[in-house]
Amino acid sequence: MKYLRVELRYPPDLIHPIHRLIDESDAVDRDVLLHGTVLDEPDDTFLFYVEGDIDVYTDALRSVDRIREFEVTRIDESGHYVFLTQRRDAVDEATFDPFQRTGVVVVPPIDFRPNGVARLTVIGNGGPLRDALAGLPERIETTVLRIGEYDWRQDLFDPGLTDRQFDALAAAVESGYYESPREATVEEVAERIDASASTASEHLRKAESAVMAAFMDLREVP
């Protein structure tokens, strides 16, 4: 069963007003869609995790006519759950209808980032996955970041390594580079991935940095 890690980039006029807040204000650090209920009805219901100044976020919610109602639950000093209902619009339908088909499942969370970017994981079979991507609006720039065999554990921890960084890290683990005491040198890791020692060292440093940053993000999310 294949999975795609997909990035959607919305043009400015199609960005949801709340997600535009991420671009225009330093008050909100993170806006993640954890769960959603999309039925054959005018309104959809969503659960978001929001990190940042919740007063700024809720003021923005009140200013959007589409937002029917919302409820905020505090988690800690900066983290909150936001449970809301909103009226679906044409952009929502054009974006998510292609994924509402047999053979395709969108796996939450959907991470909304600056510059109109949303990242999501989609699993399914080859044909339906291709049809889903082909059905997205042309104005929404679509990039497949990663493709592979699906493993649910990857959604809990995704450091976003490049292929070469992953290869270097895998070679280091397999060779005993991270054992204590160390059982391999960076030169041996480099030989395994057919690279120079300096290149292998750089791949390892960047991979280690990405892995640790992802680990800390995971620990911080309730």
Side-chain angles (χ1 to χ4, degrees):
M1 179 172 52
K2 296 293 184 184
Y3 84 93
L4 302 178
R5 184 66 175 163
V6 179
E7 179 178 281
L8 306 180
R9 186 179 295 272
Y10 292 77
D13 60 308
L14 295 186
I15 299 175
H16 191 288
I18 299 303
H19 302 148
R20 188 175 295 117
L21 176 68
I22 301 173
D23 286 350
E24 297 176 350
S25 172
D26 294 331
V28 178
D29 300 317
R30 200 168 187 195
D31 184 24
V32 183
L33 175 58
L34 301 178
H35 300 286
T37 301
V38 180
L39 303 173
D40 190 18
E41 298 178 4
D43 296 343
D44 299 323
T45 302
F46 299 115
L47 175 65
F48 285 88
Y49 170 72
V50 178
E51 198 170 88
D53 189 330
I54 196 63
D55 291 332
V56 173
Y57 192 87
T58 54
D59 284 346
L61 289 177
R62 293 187 185 97
S63 70
V64 179
D65 292 339
R66 297 177 54 199
I67 308 296
R68 303 291 199 186
E69 56 185 1
F70 65 89
E71 177 182 346
V72 175
T73 301
R74 178 188 172 97
I75 302 169
D76 53 33
E77 287 188 3
S78 62
H80 298 76
Y81 290 128
V82 177
F83 187 71
L84 65 82
T85 299
Q86 74 170 13
R87 185 178 70 253
R88 189 180 314 136
D89 71 357
V91 177
D92 294 334
E93 292 181 356
T95 303
F96 293 106
D97 277 2
F99 295 116
Q100 306 298 318
R101 63 178 67 223
T102 302
V104 174
V105 173
V106 175
V107 181
I110 299 175
D111 194 1
F112 293 95
R113 303 188 173 204
N115 302 314
V117 167
R119 289 185 176 177
L120 63 154
T121 299
V122 189
I123 65 174
N125 301 313
L129 282 175
R130 286 192 296 272
D131 292 343
L133 293 182
L136 290 169
E138 290 184 3
R139 294 192 62 209
I140 298 177
E141 182 181 332
T142 305
T143 304
V144 177
L145 302 175
R146 195 172 303 125
I147 182 171
E149 291 296 325
Y150 182 72
D151 181 341
W152 69 275
R153 293 168 295 184
Q154 70 201 10
D155 291 315
L156 301 179
F157 188 77
D158 181 9
L161 303 181
T162 67
D163 290 342
R164 291 297 282 166
Q165 289 167 4
F166 181 86
D167 290 343
L169 203 57
V173 171
E174 291 167 2
S175 65
Y177 181 79
Y178 291 111
E179 294 295 327
S180 182
R182 186 164 283 175
E183 298 176 357
T185 65
V186 70
E187 287 78 13
E188 291 172 298
V189 173
E191 185 176 353
R192 282 173 175 256
I193 65 170
D194 193 24
S196 68
S198 61
T199 298
S201 179
E202 181 180 2
H203 286 325
L204 287 176
R205 284 197 304 272
K206 290 182 177 179
E208 290 160 4
S209 175
V211 167
M212 295 309 296
F215 176 73
M216 294 308 298
D217 284 346
L218 179 64
R219 289 293 299 271
E220 291 172 2
V221 176

PDB file of all heavy atoms in Angstrom, residues 171-195:
ATOM      1  N   ALA A 171      23.339   3.743   6.864  1.00  0.00           N
ATOM      2  CA  ALA A 171      24.657   3.116   6.805  1.00  0.00           C
ATOM      3  C   ALA A 171      25.395   3.260   8.125  1.00  0.00           C
ATOM      4  O   ALA A 171      26.094   2.336   8.570  1.00  0.00           O
ATOM      5  CB  ALA A 171      25.474   3.754   5.675  1.00  0.00           C
ATOM      6  N   ALA A 172      25.221   4.422   8.770  1.00  0.00           N
ATOM      7  CA  ALA A 172      25.881   4.644  10.054  1.00  0.00           C
ATOM      8  C   ALA A 172      25.341   3.707  11.130  1.00  0.00           C
ATOM      9  O   ALA A 172      26.103   3.130  11.921  1.00  0.00           O
ATOM     10  CB  ALA A 172      25.706   6.101  10.482  1.00  0.00           C
ATOM     11  N   VAL A 173      24.036   3.532  11.143  1.00  0.00           N
ATOM     12  CA  VAL A 173      23.429   2.632  12.134  1.00  0.00           C
ATOM     13  C   VAL A 173      23.858   1.189  11.879  1.00  0.00           C
ATOM     14  O   VAL A 173      24.248   0.453  12.800  1.00  0.00           O
ATOM     15  CB  VAL A 173      21.890   2.759  12.100  1.00  0.00           C
ATOM     16  CG1 VAL A 173      21.244   1.669  12.966  1.00  0.00           C
ATOM     17  CG2 VAL A 173      21.457   4.138  12.582  1.00  0.00           C
ATOM     18  N   GLU A 174      23.793   0.776  10.605  1.00  0.00           N
ATOM     19  CA  GLU A 174      24.121  -0.610  10.258  1.00  0.00           C
ATOM     20  C   GLU A 174      25.589  -0.944  10.531  1.00  0.00           C
ATOM     21  O   GLU A 174      25.928  -2.075  10.895  1.00  0.00           O
ATOM     22  CB  GLU A 174      23.791  -0.863   8.786  1.00  0.00           C
ATOM     23  CG  GLU A 174      22.297  -0.849   8.492  1.00  0.00           C
ATOM     24  CD  GLU A 174      22.011  -0.787   6.998  1.00  0.00           C
ATOM     25  OE1 GLU A 174      22.988  -0.796   6.208  1.00  0.00           O
ATOM     26  OE2 GLU A 174      20.818  -0.719   6.625  1.00  0.00           O
ATOM     27  N   SER A 175      26.465   0.036  10.380  1.00  0.00           N
ATOM     28  CA  SER A 175      27.892  -0.219  10.548  1.00  0.00           C
ATOM     29  C   SER A 175      28.356  -0.106  12.000  1.00  0.00           C
ATOM     30  O   SER A 175      29.509  -0.427  12.315  1.00  0.00           O
ATOM     31  CB  SER A 175      28.703   0.744   9.682  1.00  0.00           C
ATOM     32  OG  SER A 175      28.519   2.085  10.121  1.00  0.00           O
ATOM     33  N   GLY A 176      27.489   0.371  12.866  1.00  0.00           N
ATOM     34  CA  GLY A 176      27.874   0.523  14.266  1.00  0.00           C
ATOM     35  C   GLY A 176      28.469   1.872  14.605  1.00  0.00           C
ATOM     36  O   GLY A 176      29.075   2.057  15.659  1.00  0.00           O
ATOM     37  N   TYR A 177      28.266   2.851  13.731  1.00  0.00           N
ATOM     38  CA  TYR A 177      28.824   4.182  13.943  1.00  0.00           C
ATOM     39  C   TYR A 177      28.298   4.816  15.234  1.00  0.00           C
ATOM     40  O   TYR A 177      29.010   5.589  15.890  1.00  0.00           O
ATOM     41  CB  TYR A 177      28.494   5.060  12.733  1.00  0.00           C
ATOM     42  CG  TYR A 177      29.025   6.473  12.801  1.00  0.00           C
ATOM     43  CD1 TYR A 177      30.354   6.746  12.516  1.00  0.00           C
ATOM     44  CD2 TYR A 177      28.182   7.531  13.127  1.00  0.00           C
ATOM     45  CE1 TYR A 177      30.851   8.045  12.572  1.00  0.00           C
ATOM     46  CE2 TYR A 177      28.658   8.839  13.176  1.00  0.00           C
ATOM     47  CZ  TYR A 177      29.984   9.092  12.905  1.00  0.00           C
ATOM     48  OH  TYR A 177      30.462  10.387  12.962  1.00  0.00           O
ATOM     49  N   TYR A 178      27.060   4.470  15.602  1.00  0.00           N
ATOM     50  CA  TYR A 178      26.460   5.069  16.796  1.00  0.00           C
ATOM     51  C   TYR A 178      26.549   4.169  18.029  1.00  0.00           C
ATOM     52  O   TYR A 178      25.960   4.489  19.065  1.00  0.00           O
ATOM     53  CB  TYR A 178      24.995   5.435  16.520  1.00  0.00           C
ATOM     54  CG  TYR A 178      24.855   6.583  15.540  1.00  0.00           C
ATOM     55  CD1 TYR A 178      24.335   6.381  14.266  1.00  0.00           C
ATOM     56  CD2 TYR A 178      25.263   7.871  15.883  1.00  0.00           C
ATOM     57  CE1 TYR A 178      24.224   7.425  13.368  1.00  0.00           C
ATOM     58  CE2 TYR A 178      25.152   8.919  14.994  1.00  0.00           C
ATOM     59  CZ  TYR A 178      24.626   8.688  13.736  1.00  0.00           C
ATOM     60  OH  TYR A 178      24.521   9.742  12.844  1.00  0.00           O
ATOM     61  N   GLU A 179      27.246   3.059  17.889  1.00  0.00           N
ATOM     62  CA  GLU A 179      27.436   2.203  19.059  1.00  0.00           C
ATOM     63  C   GLU A 179      28.413   2.857  20.044  1.00  0.00           C
ATOM     64  O   GLU A 179      29.180   3.762  19.687  1.00  0.00           O
ATOM     65  CB  GLU A 179      27.995   0.832  18.633  1.00  0.00           C
ATOM     66  CG  GLU A 179      27.035   0.009  17.793  1.00  0.00           C
ATOM     67  CD  GLU A 179      25.790  -0.395  18.546  1.00  0.00           C
ATOM     68  OE1 GLU A 179      25.881  -0.626  19.782  1.00  0.00           O
ATOM     69  OE2 GLU A 179      24.713  -0.478  17.912  1.00  0.00           O
ATOM     70  N   SER A 180      28.376   2.404  21.282  1.00  0.00           N
ATOM     71  CA  SER A 180      29.304   2.904  22.295  1.00  0.00           C
ATOM     72  C   SER A 180      30.027   1.725  22.946  1.00  0.00           C
ATOM     73  O   SER A 180      29.386   0.926  23.643  1.00  0.00           O
ATOM     74  CB  SER A 180      28.541   3.700  23.363  1.00  0.00           C
ATOM     75  OG  SER A 180      29.419   4.223  24.327  1.00  0.00           O
ATOM     76  N   PRO A 181      31.333   1.564  22.695  1.00  0.00           N
ATOM     77  CA  PRO A 181      32.181   2.458  21.880  1.00  0.00           C
ATOM     78  C   PRO A 181      31.863   2.327  20.396  1.00  0.00           C
ATOM     79  O   PRO A 181      31.321   1.317  19.950  1.00  0.00           O
ATOM     80  CB  PRO A 181      33.587   1.978  22.207  1.00  0.00           C
ATOM     81  CG  PRO A 181      33.411   0.537  22.541  1.00  0.00           C
ATOM     82  CD  PRO A 181      32.095   0.443  23.270  1.00  0.00           C
ATOM     83  N   ARG A 182      32.236   3.335  19.642  1.00  0.00           N
ATOM     84  CA  ARG A 182      31.955   3.395  18.203  1.00  0.00           C
ATOM     85  C   ARG A 182      32.668   2.262  17.468  1.00  0.00           C
ATOM     86  O   ARG A 182      33.835   2.000  17.714  1.00  0.00           O
ATOM     87  CB  ARG A 182      32.409   4.753  17.673  1.00  0.00           C
ATOM     88  CG  ARG A 182      32.061   5.024  16.236  1.00  0.00           C
ATOM     89  CD  ARG A 182      32.180   6.506  15.926  1.00  0.00           C
ATOM     90  NE  ARG A 182      31.024   7.246  16.460  1.00  0.00           N
ATOM     91  CZ  ARG A 182      30.913   8.579  16.422  1.00  0.00           C
ATOM     92  NH1 ARG A 182      31.901   9.301  15.937  1.00  0.00           N
ATOM     93  NH2 ARG A 182      29.845   9.167  16.908  1.00  0.00           N
ATOM     94  N   GLU A 183      31.896   1.599  16.583  1.00  0.00           N
ATOM     95  CA  GLU A 183      32.442   0.441  15.864  1.00  0.00           C
ATOM     96  C   GLU A 183      32.784   0.734  14.413  1.00  0.00           C
ATOM     97  O   GLU A 183      33.242  -0.156  13.687  1.00  0.00           O
ATOM     98  CB  GLU A 183      31.435  -0.717  15.924  1.00  0.00           C
ATOM     99  CG  GLU A 183      31.150  -1.202  17.339  1.00  0.00           C
ATOM    100  CD  GLU A 183      30.074  -2.271  17.385  1.00  0.00           C
ATOM    101  OE1 GLU A 183      29.510  -2.580  16.302  1.00  0.00           O
ATOM    102  OE2 GLU A 183      29.781  -2.779  18.484  1.00  0.00           O
ATOM    103  N   ALA A 184      32.546   1.949  13.962  1.00  0.00           N
ATOM    104  CA  ALA A 184      32.842   2.316  12.571  1.00  0.00           C
ATOM    105  C   ALA A 184      33.242   3.776  12.520  1.00  0.00           C
ATOM    106  O   ALA A 184      32.877   4.579  13.398  1.00  0.00           O
ATOM    107  CB  ALA A 184      31.643   2.051  11.672  1.00  0.00           C
ATOM    108  N   THR A 185      33.975   4.133  11.484  1.00  0.00           N
ATOM    109  CA  THR A 185      34.396   5.518  11.282  1.00  0.00           C
ATOM    110  C   THR A 185      33.528   6.169  10.207  1.00  0.00           C
ATOM    111  O   THR A 185      32.798   5.484   9.467  1.00  0.00           O
ATOM    112  CB  THR A 185      35.866   5.580  10.838  1.00  0.00           C
ATOM    113  OG1 THR A 185      35.967   4.955   9.546  1.00  0.00           O
ATOM    114  CG2 THR A 185      36.761   4.854  11.831  1.00  0.00           C
ATOM    115  N   VAL A 186      33.620   7.488  10.114  1.00  0.00           N
ATOM    116  CA  VAL A 186      32.863   8.182   9.085  1.00  0.00           C
ATOM    117  C   VAL A 186      33.356   7.778   7.700  1.00  0.00           C
ATOM    118  O   VAL A 186      32.587   7.765   6.719  1.00  0.00           O
ATOM    119  CB  VAL A 186      32.945   9.715   9.289  1.00  0.00           C
ATOM    120  CG1 VAL A 186      34.342  10.231   8.980  1.00  0.00           C
ATOM    121  CG2 VAL A 186      31.902  10.434   8.451  1.00  0.00           C
ATOM    122  N   GLU A 187      34.649   7.400   7.596  1.00  0.00           N
ATOM    123  CA  GLU A 187      35.183   6.925   6.317  1.00  0.00           C
ATOM    124  C   GLU A 187      34.498   5.629   5.890  1.00  0.00           C
ATOM    125  O   GLU A 187      34.217   5.431   4.696  1.00  0.00           O
ATOM    126  CB  GLU A 187      36.695   6.715   6.429  1.00  0.00           C
ATOM    127  CG  GLU A 187      37.514   7.990   6.474  1.00  0.00           C
ATOM    128  CD  GLU A 187      37.494   8.660   7.842  1.00  0.00           C
ATOM    129  OE1 GLU A 187      37.048   7.999   8.824  1.00  0.00           O
ATOM    130  OE2 GLU A 187      37.913   9.821   7.945  1.00  0.00           O
ATOM    131  N   GLU A 188      34.196   4.753   6.861  1.00  0.00           N
ATOM    132  CA  GLU A 188      33.504   3.501   6.532  1.00  0.00           C
ATOM    133  C   GLU A 188      32.060   3.763   6.126  1.00  0.00           C
ATOM    134  O   GLU A 188      31.519   3.101   5.229  1.00  0.00           O
ATOM    135  CB  GLU A 188      33.572   2.557   7.731  1.00  0.00           C
ATOM    136  CG  GLU A 188      34.970   2.023   7.998  1.00  0.00           C
ATOM    137  CD  GLU A 188      35.048   1.249   9.295  1.00  0.00           C
ATOM    138  OE1 GLU A 188      34.809   1.838  10.374  1.00  0.00           O
ATOM    139  OE2 GLU A 188      35.361   0.037   9.229  1.00  0.00           O
ATOM    140  N   VAL A 189      31.437   4.721   6.781  1.00  0.00           N
ATOM    141  CA  VAL A 189      30.082   5.115   6.380  1.00  0.00           C
ATOM    142  C   VAL A 189      30.115   5.664   4.960  1.00  0.00           C
ATOM    143  O   VAL A 189      29.261   5.334   4.116  1.00  0.00           O
ATOM    144  CB  VAL A 189      29.503   6.163   7.351  1.00  0.00           C
ATOM    145  CG1 VAL A 189      28.156   6.688   6.826  1.00  0.00           C
ATOM    146  CG2 VAL A 189      29.335   5.574   8.743  1.00  0.00           C
ATOM    147  N   ALA A 190      31.116   6.509   4.674  1.00  0.00           N
ATOM    148  CA  ALA A 190      31.245   7.101   3.340  1.00  0.00           C
ATOM    149  C   ALA A 190      31.411   6.022   2.274  1.00  0.00           C
ATOM    150  O   ALA A 190      30.828   6.115   1.180  1.00  0.00           O
ATOM    151  CB  ALA A 190      32.438   8.059   3.321  1.00  0.00           C
ATOM    152  N   GLU A 191      32.175   4.991   2.589  1.00  0.00           N
ATOM    153  CA  GLU A 191      32.389   3.913   1.630  1.00  0.00           C
ATOM    154  C   GLU A 191      31.086   3.186   1.325  1.00  0.00           C
ATOM    155  O   GLU A 191      30.823   2.809   0.176  1.00  0.00           O
ATOM    156  CB  GLU A 191      33.430   2.942   2.179  1.00  0.00           C
ATOM    157  CG  GLU A 191      33.818   1.843   1.186  1.00  0.00           C
ATOM    158  CD  GLU A 191      34.921   0.944   1.726  1.00  0.00           C
ATOM    159  OE1 GLU A 191      35.473   1.263   2.805  1.00  0.00           O
ATOM    160  OE2 GLU A 191      35.226  -0.066   1.063  1.00  0.00           O
ATOM    161  N   ARG A 192      30.275   3.006   2.344  1.00  0.00           N
ATOM    162  CA  ARG A 192      29.006   2.299   2.155  1.00  0.00           C
ATOM    163  C   ARG A 192      28.054   3.061   1.238  1.00  0.00           C
ATOM    164  O   ARG A 192      27.250   2.457   0.534  1.00  0.00           O
ATOM    165  CB  ARG A 192      28.320   2.071   3.508  1.00  0.00           C
ATOM    166  CG  ARG A 192      28.889   0.915   4.323  1.00  0.00           C
ATOM    167  CD  ARG A 192      28.259   0.894   5.707  1.00  0.00           C
ATOM    168  NE  ARG A 192      28.686  -0.271   6.466  1.00  0.00           N
ATOM    169  CZ  ARG A 192      27.920  -1.346   6.678  1.00  0.00           C
ATOM    170  NH1 ARG A 192      26.698  -1.402   6.185  1.00  0.00           N
ATOM    171  NH2 ARG A 192      28.376  -2.363   7.386  1.00  0.00           N
ATOM    172  N   ILE A 193      28.114   4.374   1.253  1.00  0.00           N
ATOM    173  CA  ILE A 193      27.189   5.162   0.418  1.00  0.00           C
ATOM    174  C   ILE A 193      27.882   5.752  -0.803  1.00  0.00           C
ATOM    175  O   ILE A 193      27.299   6.592  -1.498  1.00  0.00           O
ATOM    176  CB  ILE A 193      26.512   6.279   1.243  1.00  0.00           C
ATOM    177  CG1 ILE A 193      27.543   7.302   1.730  1.00  0.00           C
ATOM    178  CG2 ILE A 193      25.729   5.701   2.409  1.00  0.00           C
ATOM    179  CD1 ILE A 193      26.914   8.549   2.351  1.00  0.00           C
ATOM    180  N   ASP A 194      29.148   5.315  -1.042  1.00  0.00           N
ATOM    181  CA  ASP A 194      29.905   5.745  -2.210  1.00  0.00           C
ATOM    182  C   ASP A 194      30.016   7.268  -2.258  1.00  0.00           C
ATOM    183  O   ASP A 194      29.641   7.926  -3.239  1.00  0.00           O
ATOM    184  CB  ASP A 194      29.243   5.225  -3.498  1.00  0.00           C
ATOM    185  CG  ASP A 194      30.153   5.384  -4.715  1.00  0.00           C
ATOM    186  OD1 ASP A 194      31.392   5.446  -4.526  1.00  0.00           O
ATOM    187  OD2 ASP A 194      29.631   5.445  -5.841  1.00  0.00           O
ATOM    188  N   ALA A 195      30.554   7.820  -1.171  1.00  0.00           N
ATOM    189  CA  ALA A 195      30.733   9.271  -1.089  1.00  0.00           C
ATOM    190  C   ALA A 195      32.057   9.556  -0.400  1.00  0.00           C
ATOM    191  O   ALA A 195      32.674   8.666   0.193  1.00  0.00           O
ATOM    192  CB  ALA A 195      29.587   9.905  -0.309  1.00  0.00           C
TER     193      ALA A 195
END
